[in-house]
């Protein structure tokens, strides 16, 4: 972790009904009892975003969407625009999560257009990149992720806040994580590319690690140089686990 204030983001994915709001209240109670160093955000399903924001905002927890369309309005049944996420109270929106890239064949170009839409709506995009197990075993991880980063991050990142999430696909939801050396190597490379492209602004971009981050491994991962926070799926659903990760930052 560098001098940057860590950012811990919970990605609830397609989990959470009204009852899950109680977890946010519980998290809030814990945050009242102990000061933490990190900024915190939760990205619930869109159906919960407005209500969760009402609960989370007074607790100092930001919220975000998990995806959005790249257009502002129009004939796109079932889609949600970044402006709508902002209207529902979001501060962030994830763009290009590997599950969206896989389930909805999202390309780098589309992810970049979404990230631009997120920025235009006044929100901060969390742009995700990450290699498959096959790519890693072939020794291609660094190159694949570099290509995704270059293709998915819009040029406007030189002036606007963006966050990058590095999530090796084979580590998501599997309980398996890369070695700390592998994470360090990847994050150093991502930083180098961002600084080459955006100069000083590239130094200030948060690089989150995601993929099976848990209370047990969070402190180790969050201490890796150039890891500026975490993007947490499964372990963000329960207040106890999520709080432990937040306090490890
Ligand atoms: P996980 O998911 O923490 O459940 O592995 C992380 C993510 O996909 O954002």
């Amino acid at each position: 972790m560098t001098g940057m204030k860590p950012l811990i983001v919970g990605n609830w994915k397609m989990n959470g009904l009204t009852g899950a709001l109680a977890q946010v209240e519980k998290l809030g109670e814990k945050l009242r009892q102990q000061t933490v160093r990190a900024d915190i955000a939760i990205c619930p399903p869109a159906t919960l975003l407005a209500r969760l924001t009402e609960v989370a905002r007074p607790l100092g927890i930001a919220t975000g969407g998990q995806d959005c369309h790249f257009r502002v309005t129009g004939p796109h049944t079932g889609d949600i625009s970044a402006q709508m996420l902002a209207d529902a109270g979001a501060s962030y929106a994830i763009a290009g999560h590997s599950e969206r890239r896989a389930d909805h064949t999202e390309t780098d170009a589309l992810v970049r257009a979404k990230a631009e839409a997120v920025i235009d709506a006044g929100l901060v995009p969390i742009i995700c990149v990450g290699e498959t197990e096959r790519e890693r075993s072939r020794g291609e991880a660094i190159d694949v992720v570099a290509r995704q980063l270059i293709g998915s991050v819009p040029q406007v990142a030189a002036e606007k806040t963006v966050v990058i999430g590095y999530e090796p696909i084979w580590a998501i939801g599997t309980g398996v994580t890369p070695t700390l050396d592998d994470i360090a190597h990847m994050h150093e490379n991502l930083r180098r590319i961002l600084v080459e492209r955006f100069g000083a602004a590239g130094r200030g971009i948060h690089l989150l690690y995601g993929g099976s981050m848990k209370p047990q491994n969070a402190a180790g991962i969050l201490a890796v140089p150039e890891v500026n926070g975490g993007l947490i799926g499964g372990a963000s659903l329960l207040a106890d686990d999520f709080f432990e990760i937040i306090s490890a930052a």
Side-chain angles (χ1 to χ4, degrees):
M1 192 93 64
T2 57
M4 244 183 262
K5 189 171 184 193
L7 172 64
I8 304 291
V9 182
N11 171 15
W12 283 12
K13 310 190 179 186
M14 200 170 72
N15 299 291
L17 303 175
T18 306
L21 297 176
Q23 291 300 318
V24 182
E25 280 161 7
K26 187 170 174 191
L27 178 63
E29 271 162 42
K30 288 171 171 287
L31 290 169
R32 266 196 292 271
Q33 282 158 25
Q34 193 187 312
T35 342
V36 295
R37 202 168 83 89
D39 283 327
I40 309 164
I42 296 176
C43 301
T47 46
L48 276 187
L49 181 57
R51 276 181 295 165
L52 195 142
T53 301
E54 271 175 40
V55 178
R57 190 174 280 155
L59 305 170
I61 302 167
T63 59
Q66 297 178 7
D67 174 55
C68 67
H69 198 278
F70 67 93
R71 295 203 191 281
V72 180
T73 55
H76 305 287
T77 303
D79 277 312
I80 294 174
S81 72
Q83 201 181 58
M84 290 168 182
L85 296 174
D87 188 45
S91 309
Y92 296 89
I94 300 172
H97 189 281
S98 62
E99 287 153 16
R100 302 269 337 157
R101 289 178 186 260
D103 294 353
H104 302 270
T105 53
E106 292 192 3
T107 61
D108 288 338
L110 178 60
V111 172
R112 182 185 183 126
K114 289 184 178 202
E116 282 167 350
V118 171
I119 292 168
D120 286 346
L123 307 181
V124 173
I126 302 171
I127 303 165
C128 297
V129 293
E131 82 283 359
T132 63
E133 187 163 28
R134 186 167 225 237
E135 289 160 344
R136 170 142 306 252
S137 67
R138 287 179 174 173
E140 297 166 0
I142 291 279
D143 288 347
V144 166
V145 172
R147 257 201 316 276
Q148 287 178 344
L149 185 77
I150 292 162
S152 308
V153 178
Q155 192 51 38
V156 66
E159 299 129 47
K160 302 283 185 173
T161 306
V162 304
V163 172
I164 309 296
Y166 165 60
E167 300 202 300
I169 296 170
W170 49 275
I172 295 176
T174 58
V176 186
T177 55
T179 65
L180 298 182
D181 280 349
D182 283 342
I183 296 175
H185 187 210
M186 182 62 79
H187 277 239
E188 272 161 27
N189 200 56
L190 294 176
R191 179 68 68 207
R192 186 182 54 72
I193 293 168
L194 291 172
V195 171
E196 268 172 26
R197 182 162 163 204
F198 300 117
R203 256 179 249 290
I205 295 177
H206 275 80
L207 292 176
L208 312 184
Y209 168 81
S212 295
M213 199 189 276
K214 308 267 181 243
Q216 300 84 316
N217 61 20
I221 294 173
L222 292 168
V224 170
E226 301 297 357
V227 171
N228 315 117
L231 183 51
I232 294 104
S236 71
L237 295 171
L238 293 174
D240 289 335
D241 287 354
F242 196 42
F243 180 74
E244 272 195 59
I245 295 174
I246 293 164
S247 352

